[in-house]
Amino acid sequence: MSVPFRIRCCRCGKNIPLAQDIYELDAEWQRRFPDMVGTLACHDCALRTYWTCTGPDGAYVDGHIPAPRHYSAPDCFDALSHVSAPGTHRARVVMSPRSGLLQGAEAYLRSLATRRGVNPETAAEVRAALREWDEQRSCSRRSHQGPIAVPGGRPPADERAAPPGP
């Protein structure tokens, strides 16, 4: 049984309609738009955002990251050179599970990771992304909770050993 999910665009944050294809944006997009959450974008953000890869002198702009060969011809020249071919929600999430997790497909990816009949390499990649996701979330929760309580109400040993403050 398939698990429903909705993907939020990495640029505008809106839910991408299920009837609409999704585009994956590459590292050059991430360099230019560091506030992106993930790399999966809606049609409008992927295809209606324009910039050039070169400056007035014809050389690539400082810090430019070349487009992956599977996205474009050997030389990239504008934003479209850095956009993947369109794909379905499921296909793009499976191809980019880390972005899928960031953008709303956690339940779907968890079900896919344990589903029978899934390509073993795909399942292993999804499980690795989930393991990394879970580790980051557990570390994040621990760092925001302060010291972990010890049974009996005693503070952790490192706090008991600290000299009293002024």
Side-chain angles (χ1 to χ4, degrees):
M1 183 169 129
S2 184
V3 175
F5 65 95
R6 295 297 299 266
I7 293 295
R8 289 176 306 282
C9 176
C10 64
R11 292 274 297 127
C12 67
K14 296 177 184 171
N15 281 335
I16 302 173
L18 295 174
Q20 190 180 97
D21 283 333
I22 291 180
Y23 300 82
E24 185 170 9
L25 309 180
D26 72 4
E28 178 65 5
W29 280 82
Q30 292 174 307
R31 183 186 75 80
R32 289 175 180 259
F33 304 99
D35 60 335
M36 282 180 21
V37 177
T39 58
L40 305 175
C42 68
H43 174 274
D44 288 352
C45 289
L47 303 182
R48 293 188 179 162
T49 301
Y50 183 76
W51 39 265
T52 59
C53 298
T54 58
D57 61 355
Y60 285 122
V61 297
D62 286 343
H64 178 264
I65 301 170
R69 291 239 184 251
H70 64 273
Y71 284 0
S72 67
D75 294 324
C76 52
F77 51 89
D78 67 7
L80 292 178
S81 302
H82 296 270
V83 176
S84 74
T88 65
H89 289 235
R90 289 185 182 152
R92 286 284 161 213
V93 163
V94 170
M95 293 171 74
S96 301
R98 285 163 183 81
S99 288
L101 288 165
L102 289 169
Q103 294 178 248
E106 181 178 358
Y108 173 73
L109 288 167
R110 287 194 186 282
S111 75
L112 182 77
T114 58
R115 188 179 306 154
R116 289 171 39 159
V118 174
N119 176 300
E121 288 178 27
T122 300
E125 185 178 334
V126 169
R127 282 193 296 271
L130 286 165
R131 207 171 17 261
E132 188 179 293
W133 172 258
D134 291 341
E135 287 170 6
Q136 288 174 352
R137 290 176 63 195
S138 69
C139 289
S140 175
R141 272 186 285 228
R142 268 187 263 141
S143 68
H144 294 304
Q145 291 176 349
I148 298 173
V150 175
R154 295 174 49 202
D158 57 340
E159 286 184 21
R160 286 193 311 258

